[in-house]
């Protein structure tokens, strides 16, 4: 499974790319992460951005069972050189995260992976630097969440940018939390194993960490352009933002009626 | 990539998360339509046409590299599919141009 192996360089980070959606799709539409976007599929942009992040040594793509064949075909075309494990996710985000963690659990227990990065494939614009930052912060503090504050400040963060635990962040309405999020691998795996034993289903990674782990979370300033593809308009915006990173497109001029 | 795709997205007009029809001109998203309320979002032709032409130029320039990559990766598939691909390309571009100017 490992891509650029970390042998001789210490443990690496595992990227879990969530592309399964929420399981409530009507069944006949394409998963939005498989849509074309500026010459690639939405989800392979994240693979593109993380290709130069050498800290990432393992990559797991979590898809819906019905999307496995399509995802594998896209990977063969758009990320042919990257060693990626494809696993099937569940109906809930928590299930998909757990499926991804199980895929790297052996590497975590063997000490080959010390950080797990969880990223939503519907965020195709999270840049390489943000991945590097969350990995470094997770190694230093235990966990790292990027976020954008509505009022321009990250509330209730310590002066050094850290918090004792993450619970309040999820409840703070003024912070829009983004992905990629990174956590030390062993506590994260322990937390999800405990959640599995108790039948706990968290709404996101933070809720599981809050309940079953005691690690410090660092807050990082997220990127303004790190949008999540939710509305059709987001696809137009993403196309234009990608134009600035080398895909030549005009920067303006779409209308809605 | 197909010219028309469908995906579940949240409509900014009716706020429902339903299938949307997405129309592409080449690699560029041309328009989207909500299947529930018919809300249409589209790129203005005055912007899309030059963007398409610029993108077409990029596609043409990068084609030899992409063909070489495919030939190295899957030589037999590449050779078998080459004649059909050569015939299909002009048809594909003509179809894209037609959809572009019709839109």
């Amino acid at each position: 499974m490992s891509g650029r192996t970390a042998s001789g360089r210490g443990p690496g980070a595992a990227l879990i790319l969530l592309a399964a959606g929420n399981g409530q799709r009507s069944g006949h539409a394409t998963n939005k992460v498989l849509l074309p976007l500026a010459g690639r599929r939405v989800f392979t942009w994240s693979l593109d951005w993380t290709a130069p992040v050498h800290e990432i040594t393992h990559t797991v793509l979590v898809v819906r069972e019905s999307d496995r064949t399509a995802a594998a075909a896209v990977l063969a075309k758009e990320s042919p050189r990257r060693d990626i494990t494809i696993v099937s996710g569940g109906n809930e985000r928590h299930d998909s995260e757990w499926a991804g963690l199980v895929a790297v659990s052996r590497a975590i227990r063997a000490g080959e992976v010390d950080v797990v990065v969880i990223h939503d494939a519907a965020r195709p614009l999270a840049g390489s630097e943000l991945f590097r930052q969350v990995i470094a912060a997770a190694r230093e503090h235990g966990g790292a969440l990027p976020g954008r504050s509505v009022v321009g400040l990250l509330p209730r963060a310590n002066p050094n940018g850290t918090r004792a635990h993450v619970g309040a962040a999820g409840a703070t309405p003024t912070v829009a939390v983004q992905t990629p999020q990174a956590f030390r691998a062993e506590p994260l795996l322990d937390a999800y194993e405990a959640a599995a034993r108790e039948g706990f289903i968290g709404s996101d990674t933070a809720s599981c960490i809050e309940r079953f782990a005691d690690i410090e979370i660092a807050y990082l300033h997220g990127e303004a352009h790190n949008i999540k593809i939710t509305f059709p308009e987001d696809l137009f915006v993403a196309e234009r933002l990608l134009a600035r990173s080398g895909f030549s497109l005009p920067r303006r001029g779409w209308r809605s009626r | 990539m197909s010219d028309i795709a469908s995906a579940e997205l949240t409509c900014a007009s009716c706020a429902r998360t339903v299938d949307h029809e997405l129309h592409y001109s080449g690699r560029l998203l041309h328009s989207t339509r909500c299947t529930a309320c018919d809300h249409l979002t589209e790129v203005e032709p005055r912007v899309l046409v030059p963007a398409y032409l610029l993108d077409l130029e990029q596609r043409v320039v990068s084609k030899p590299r992409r063909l070489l990559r495919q030939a190295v990766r899957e030589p037999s598939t590449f050779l078998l599919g080459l004649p059909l691909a050569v015939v299909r390309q002009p048809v594909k571009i003509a179809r894209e141009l037609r959809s572009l100017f019709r839109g």
Side-chain angles (χ1 to χ4, degrees), chain A residues 28 30 230 248-249 255 257, chain B residues 6 10 19 28-29 42 58:
Chain A
H28 55 275
T30 300
T230 304
S248 294
L249 289 168
R255 65 190 178 194
R257 68 173 187 241
Chain B
S6 174
T10 304
D19 288 356
L28 308 185
L29 184 59
E42 62 182 346
Q58 286 192 340

Side-chain angles (χ1 to χ4, degrees), chain A residues 9-29:
Chain A
R9 293 189 294 142
L15 169 66
I16 296 176
L17 189 59
L18 302 175
N22 61 8
Q24 294 166 358
R25 292 209 319 275
S26 51
H28 55 275

